[in-house]
Amino acid sequence: EVQLVQSGAEVKKPGESLKISCKGSGYSFINYWIGWVRQMPGKGLEWMGIIYPGDSDTRYSPSFQGQVTISADKSISTAYLQWSSLKASDTAMYYCARSPLIRGYKYGHFDYWGQGTLVTVSS
Amino acid sequence: EIVLTQSPGTLSLSPGERATLSCRASQSVSSSYLAWYQQKPGQAPRLLIYGASSRATGIPDRFSGSGSGTDFTLTISRLEPEDFAVYYCQQYGSSPPDTFGPGTKVDIK
């Protein structure tokens, strides 16, 4: 059974750093892309970026480039999303999701999702 | 960046009725790389349709997707009580970034 299990909820202060995780199981972790999606309170879905754990190829939305870092450790089948200096506007639910390869290497739709990690940033 | 517009914003229907949701793109979506997701309160999104018209594993056949170019449609042939939720479209033909539409809420009339 394919599963993506995310780390637990976090409460942080502005300016603090944070790294949240997403552990994949039940499939070959290095052969699928893992993406991150933000959902601010009461709002829609925003595509943040994606990584291919097989070679660490990473792509970012221009809206999130420089604001977050996506990484992966294929030895433990885990992807990460990190911030170096959180802002109150980073308060949101963050989902990781798996994307199959399309036409050889391209990423695409998200077929499995993690349960979400709620990040709250407040002074 | 391709911008997706979904209409209507809210669709109020009764169980058993047919739901037709629209997703329009600001530019043509290559290779019909368009997906639909369902999200219920407090839950992660669930993939319904990919490639504009292919149903994901385990999705009932009352859900169907159609369209190409800039206009796409998700149809729920007969609404079941568990279908009342928010539905998002996503394009992944021109990326990064992939983009999501703002969502259509299907609620009980």
Side-chain angles (χ1 to χ4, degrees), chain A residues 39 43-45 47 60-62 95 102-103 106-110 113-114, chain B residues 31 33 35 37 39 43-45 47 50 88 90 92 95-98 100:
Chain A
Q39 188 166 39
K43 302 299 185 183
L45 306 173
W47 192 95
Y60 293 92
S61 164
Y95 293 102
I102 294 176
R103 295 194 176 175
K106 187 189 177 333
Y107 51 84
H109 58 277
F110 292 125
W113 293 67
Chain B
S31 304
Y33 285 153
Y37 301 87
Q39 188 178 33
Q43 295 185 17
L47 176 68
Y50 64 95
Y88 296 95
Q90 177 209 12
Y92 48 97
S95 51
D98 290 2
F100 291 94

